[in-house]
Structures are given as C-alpha cells and as structure tokens.
C-alpha cells in the first residue's frame, strides 16, 4: 500500500516514498531540499523487491509451482516482472536439510536459490554461477566483512576487467581503434554512436571506433524528437534543479555558443570536482560532495548541459586503462552540438573522447545499467 526507504551510499542520501492508488504507484524521490516525482503504472500484484523470497513461501512451496508477479525495486526506481519456478526438492552436502530449489528471473538475471521448509535461504548461485552465497553464522559473516573492509578488497574490479594481449600506447590520444568483441549474449546488440559503428560477424561483434575530432564522415543526426527527450530531467540528472541552473549560467553564459559552453563546463568540473571512488545517487549529490567516479561526473555534466539547452545522453561501456592493460567499465556522455552527437568524457576532461571508448548501452538510471550484468565476466575484447 505504501512504503518509505532511506538509502545511503558513501556520503549521499536518498529518500524514496511510494503510495499505491489502484493500478498506479505514485513515487517521490529526493533529499531534504529537492524532490522528484513520477507515476508508475502496473498490472496485477505489486510487491517490494525485498519480499521476493517470501512470495513463494507464502503462496506454497511445491515442486512444479510457477509464480509470476511484479516487484518495485527502490534502488532502480522501477517496476520489474518476476518469474519464479520451484523445480525440485533435494538434499546436498552444501546445506544440512533437504531444500526447495527455486529458479528466479528478474531484471535480466537468473538466480538459483535453495529454500528450506521454513523459507530460509540456504544456498544461492547468481551471475552465471560466479556469485555464490551461503547461510553462515552471524559472527563469521561479521569477521569476513571486517577483513574485507580493512583490506579494501577489489575482487569485483578484478572480476570485471577485460584484459587484452596488446598494450595500447597513449590511450587518451587514440583516434582510431578496431576491436572484436566476443562473449556477447545472443539477445544483446551493440549500439552505434557518433564514434562507433558495429556489425555482427559470426559469433562476435566487430567495431570501428574513430574519435569525433578526427573524423568528419562519422556524422550521425537524430530526429528532433530524440534530442528533445535528452533535454528532460531525471532522478539522476537533475537539470531543472535551481542549484544546477544557477551554476550552469554562472560558468557558461546562455549567450555563449554551445561549443564554448561545453568547454566551460569541462574546465569548471576539472577544477572543482575531484576524481574519486565515491558513488552518488544523482547530479546534486556530486555538486554537494565535489567528488565522484565516472558516472557521477557524467551525471553532473549532463545536468549542467541540459539546463543550458544542450541535449545530452549518458553512454555506458568500457574504456582502456593503462594501469591494468585492460578495458574497465566506464560512463561518459554524448552531447548534440552542430547538428550531430559528439562523444565527451567529463571524467578525463576530454572534449572529444578518445577512441578506446566502446559504448555498450545508453542510460542514466540504475534500471538501464542492469542490461550490462549479463556481460560482466564474459566479455572478451581483441584488438586488430
């Protein structure tokens, strides 16, 4: 019927409130001084994401049962369909008593969970079996978390790296790159962008990426409707917030040409926003904290650019890192200037993003980013 969530990530806070009226969910998302609203329609049952393993328990743990319903996820701020199937009742040396084997499909992810007769999860496999969870004593769990925090474990970063055989010299100056990507699911299609043209070749994707500044033939115009959409505010890109508008006009006067405005934004961000491994919920968080990782830099740039009337979209993919001799997951932007999309990287301060940027999806909400999950740990890149 109604809910209220309070989230904290690093130093950013978000309050999410919702009320169900018939077949609509009225949503409020914000902080103390800024709130965004949205109405989400739905059909049938709607339950909270954190009740996903209670649902089959309450409706009957019985082999062969299939449950279809919808959940609201307070992190992605979206409603997602769920399908759960109870496929077996079995024993294993991995847990003490017999348990029900439950297959869950949600947000593009498949998870296998074993629930005991009381509904308590005993063991779980997700992310294609690479993420394993097991029930363990509270003290053991706390000790592990303490050790991981003290050692600042980077297991997920290591897992998500995409190594390449040949080192790329001076990647931030790279103007042309040819790559072959394998391990891409059949249902996933690589996108074309201002810099990037891709096509399917046998079981892989082949892409040619050329820096916008070095190529006049890679002009890609989009209909006016698309550019209008990329001027709209969102939960993450708060382009209509008063603080964003005032700052944008302070650092990049409305009378200036769009190219000059973009340069002013990049210079201001380079001087005022620290590059740090700090997560943020939205562009206002970045403005308050004055530090962010790549997604935060891109959200703030997009908010400032949109408030000045420059259509801007966020691209998510991978970029080459000299530190690891590998591609790492990264976020940057494209702005619509001079009747064409142009790739810009606010994190690197690049007016024209270098050619090691391989775009995989467009999107600025967490809901959009879930499309990347099937790629992590499977994607392979070859330079040729």
């Amino acid at each position: 019927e109604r809910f209220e969530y309070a989230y904290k990530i690093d130093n950013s806070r978000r309050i999410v409130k919702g009320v169900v009226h018939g077949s609509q969910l009225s949503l409020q998302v914000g902080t103390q001084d800024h709130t965004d609203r949205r109405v989400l329609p739905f059909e049938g049952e709607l339950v909270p994401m954190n009740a996903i393993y209670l649902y089959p328990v309450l409706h009957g743990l019985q082999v062969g049962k299939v449950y279809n319903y919808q959940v609201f996820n307070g992190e992605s701020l979206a409603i997602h369909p769920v399908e759960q199937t109870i496929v077996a009742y079995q024993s294993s040396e991995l847990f003490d008593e017999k348990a029900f084997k439950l297959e869950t499909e949600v947000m593009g992810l498949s998870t296998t969970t074993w629930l005991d007769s009381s509904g308590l999860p005993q063991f779980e496999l997700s992310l294609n079996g690479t993420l394993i969870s097991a029930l363990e004593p509270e003290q053991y769990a706390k000790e592990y978390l303490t050790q991981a925090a003290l050692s600042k474990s980077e297991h997920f970063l290591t897992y998500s790296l995409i190594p390449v055989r040949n080192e790329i010299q001076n990647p931030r100056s790279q103007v042309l790159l040819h790559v072959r990507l394998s391990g891409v699911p059949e249902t996933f299609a690589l996108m074309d962008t201002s810099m990037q043209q891709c096509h399917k070749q046998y079981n892989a994707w082949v892409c040619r990426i050329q820096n916008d500044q070095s190529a006049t033939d890679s002009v890609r115009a989009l209909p006016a409707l698309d550019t209008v959409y990329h001027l709209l505010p969102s939960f993450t890109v708060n382009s209509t917030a008063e603080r964003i508008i005032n700052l944008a006009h302070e650092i990049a006067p409305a009378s200036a040409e769009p190219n000059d405005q973009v340069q002013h934004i990049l210079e201001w961000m380079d001087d005022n926003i620290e590059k740090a491994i700090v997560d943020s919920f939205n562009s206002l968080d970045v403005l308050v904290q004055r530090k962010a990782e790549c997604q935060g830099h891109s959200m703030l740039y997009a908010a400032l650019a949109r408030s000045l009337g420059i259509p801007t979209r966020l691209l998510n993919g991978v970029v080459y890192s000299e530190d690891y001799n590998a591609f790492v997951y990264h976020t940057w932007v494209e702005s619509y200037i001079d009747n064409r999309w142009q790739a810009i990287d606010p994190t690197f301060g690049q007016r024209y993003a270098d050619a090691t940027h391989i775009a995989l999806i467009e999107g600025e909400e967490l809901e959009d980013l879930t499309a990347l999950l099937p790629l992590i740990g499977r994607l392979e890149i070859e330079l040729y």
Side-chain angles (χ1 to χ4, degrees), residues 235-288:
F235 286 139
T236 54
V237 178
N238 317 101
S239 53
T240 56
E242 185 176 357
R243 294 181 62 184
I244 294 290
I245 294 173
N246 292 341
L247 176 61
H249 286 82
E250 177 185 332
I251 63 179
S255 58
E257 292 294 321
N259 278 299
D260 293 332
Q261 290 177 324
V262 167
Q263 193 59 46
H264 286 317
I265 293 173
L266 290 175
E267 290 174 358
W268 184 90
M269 290 186 63
D270 192 52
D271 291 338
N272 293 275
I273 307 299
E274 180 185 345
K275 299 167 182 61
I277 305 176
V278 175
D279 284 317
S280 311
F281 287 115
N282 55 42
S283 54
L284 287 171
D285 290 339
V286 180
L287 194 56
V288 170

Side-chain angles (χ1 to χ4, degrees), residues 164-181:
V164 291
R165 292 183 180 178
N166 302 321
E167 183 178 349
I168 300 178
Q169 300 292 333
N170 302 316
R172 302 291 76 85
S173 301
Q174 196 77 20
V175 296
L176 180 64
L177 199 69
H178 292 88
V179 295
R180 180 179 289 104
L181 292 86

Side-chain angles (χ1 to χ4, degrees), residues 41-84:
F42 66 92
E43 296 180 0
E45 284 186 281
L46 181 64
V47 301
M49 185 75 167
N50 53 314
I52 197 167
Y53 292 129
L54 292 176
Y55 192 95
V57 177
L58 293 173
H59 289 78
L61 287 172
Q62 181 179 339
V63 177
K65 282 277 191 179
V66 179
Y67 295 110
N68 288 279
Y69 55 99
Q70 296 176 97
V71 292
F72 171 75
N73 186 341
E75 294 179 75
S76 66
L77 302 175
I79 293 173
H80 305 278
V82 178
E83 180 170 296
Q84 290 182 304

Side-chain angles (χ1 to χ4, degrees), residues 13-185:
R13 295 179 181 272
R14 167 182 274 179
I15 302 297
V16 180
K17 298 180 181 181
V19 179
V20 172
H21 299 287
S23 58
Q24 290 187 327
L25 174 63
S26 298
L27 202 59
Q28 294 184 33
V29 180
T31 57
Q32 291 183 344
D33 57 355
H34 182 83
T35 300
D36 292 308
R37 291 173 172 81
R38 184 181 297 179
V39 175
L40 303 178
F42 66 92
E43 296 180 0
E45 284 186 281
L46 181 64
V47 301
M49 185 75 167
N50 53 314
I52 197 167
Y53 292 129
L54 292 176
Y55 192 95
V57 177
L58 293 173
H59 289 78
L61 287 172
Q62 181 179 339
V63 177
K65 282 277 191 179
V66 179
Y67 295 110
N68 288 279
Y69 55 99
Q70 296 176 97
V71 292
F72 171 75
N73 186 341
E75 294 179 75
S76 66
L77 302 175
I79 293 173
H80 305 278
V82 178
E83 180 170 296
Q84 290 182 304
T85 306
I86 303 174
V87 297
Y89 182 60
Q90 55 193 202
S91 58
S92 170
E93 60 184 23
L94 298 172
F95 39 84
D96 295 334
E97 301 177 1
K98 294 185 74 173
F100 291 92
K101 183 179 180 181
L102 178 70
E103 301 281 0
T104 301
E105 299 279 344
V106 61
M107 297 174 67
L109 288 176
S110 299
T111 303
T112 303
T113 311
W114 283 265
L115 302 173
D116 66 17
S117 56
S118 67
L120 193 64
Q122 298 294 310
F123 197 78
E124 184 170 276
L125 299 173
S126 58
L127 282 179
N128 302 309
T130 55
L131 185 61
I132 302 172
S133 307
L135 190 66
E136 59 190 9
E138 180 181 3
Q139 186 59 37
Y140 181 86
K142 288 181 176 178
E143 289 175 0
Y144 172 81
L145 291 173
T146 302
Q147 292 171 3
L150 291 175
S151 62
K152 301 189 182 299
S153 174
E154 296 290 346
H155 295 310
F156 189 76
L157 172 62
T158 304
Y159 172 62
S160 64
L161 288 176
I162 308 166
V164 291
R165 292 183 180 178
N166 302 321
E167 183 178 349
I168 300 178
Q169 300 292 333
N170 302 316
R172 302 291 76 85
S173 301
Q174 196 77 20
V175 296
L176 180 64
L177 199 69
H178 292 88
V179 295
R180 180 179 289 104
L181 292 86
S182 55
V184 180

